[in-house]
Amino acid sequence: MKLSNKFTFTRIIFAPIFFLLYFIPIWTGCGTKFSLLIAIPCLVFAEFTDYLDGHYARKHNEVSDFGKLFDPFADVVLHLTAFVCLMHSVKSGISYMPVLFFVLIMLREFSQNFLRMVAAKQGTAIAARKGGKLKTVVYIIAEFYGILLELMLRMDIVPEFWGGLKIGVYVLFGICVILSYASFIDYLIHFGKILKDI
């Protein structure tokens, strides 16, 4: 496996690791104050591999049609895993990711991956566009903001303006939904003709 693809594969490996570290305290009540202190660096490194795979693919001339499919697939696996986690908290009744937002984002991501597969079958590799890259950046900001709130809760750091902080994460995820569909429309405009040929 090429080095760039190894970095991409790292995101797929770290997704279930982050999931387990996030949920073990919820399932068992153990490690509540420490699991996220391990999980967050794992997620940071996993997200950083998104830069590394692109960097080394260009540096070692490893850019390939497979990589153009594998990279966004790994992104979806990692981000949807993090979003599922953020629909839950160690404190019952608290959620940082509204279920409706998650479903809308999930449908968009699955549709986008389907478009990529159809395009690949037609001999066209769909690379990331600026709108898609911006969407990914906002995904990362929203997920880390939500995880920070959960960390504060697990560490018993709940300020008086906690309600405002929670509204902030809802707003961020709302922006994620808007950007995800705006970028998907952009992809359809530029590559939608591929669907007419099937």
Side-chain angles (χ1 to χ4, degrees):
M1 184 181 287
K2 297 176 181 178
L3 179 60
S4 56
N5 290 333
K6 287 180 180 178
F7 280 122
T8 303
F9 188 56
T10 300
R11 292 203 291 288
I12 296 176
I13 294 173
F14 272 80
I17 292 174
F18 176 80
F19 179 86
L20 289 173
L21 288 170
Y22 188 96
F23 272 99
I24 284 173
I26 296 175
W27 294 333
T28 68
C30 300
T32 300
K33 294 188 176 182
F34 303 106
S35 64
L36 278 185
L37 296 178
I38 301 171
I40 290 173
C42 289
L43 186 61
V44 169
F45 177 73
E47 293 289 4
F48 185 57
T49 63
D50 196 14
Y51 162 77
L52 293 176
D53 61 15
H55 172 75
Y56 283 100
R58 291 184 293 271
K59 182 178 179 180
H60 296 158
N61 195 27
E62 295 177 353
V63 177
S64 65
D65 289 346
F66 173 77
K68 291 177 182 178
L69 286 172
F70 193 35
D71 178 65
F73 172 75
D75 286 346
V76 170
V77 169
L78 183 63
H79 293 145
L80 290 186
T81 299
F83 293 166
V84 165
C85 292
L86 290 171
M87 289 193 289
H88 303 82
S89 170
V90 291
K91 188 171 182 180
S92 179
I94 291 183
S95 171
Y96 309 99
M97 160 64 94
V99 174
L100 174 62
F101 290 177
F102 175 81
V103 171
L104 289 173
I105 288 174
M106 179 186 68
L107 292 174
R108 182 272 184 198
E109 295 299 343
F110 285 176
S111 299
Q112 177 67 25
N113 275 350
F114 178 75
L115 177 62
R116 289 183 190 277
M117 288 188 293
V118 172
K121 186 173 178 61
Q122 298 295 322
T124 301
I126 299 179
R129 293 177 57 80
K130 289 182 179 179
K133 292 179 179 179
L134 174 62
K135 177 265 303 179
T136 299
V137 169
V138 179
Y139 275 14
I140 294 170
I141 292 171
E143 76 185 24
F144 276 105
Y145 181 68
I147 292 165
L148 176 62
L149 294 187
E150 177 65 8
L151 178 63
M152 291 171 63
L153 194 65
R154 295 187 185 195
M155 300 296 289
D156 297 321
I157 304 172
V158 183
E160 294 181 359
F161 49 91
W162 175 258
L165 293 176
K166 280 195 65 181
I167 291 173
V169 78
Y170 294 154
V171 170
L172 276 174
F173 278 123
I175 294 172
C176 286
V177 173
I178 293 169
L179 290 178
S180 69
Y181 278 88
S183 65
F184 184 55
I185 291 170
D186 177 57
Y187 281 108
L188 286 177
I189 290 172
H190 286 84
F191 301 101
K193 62 181 183 293
I194 294 170
L195 297 175
K196 298 178 181 178
D197 299 330
I198 59 176

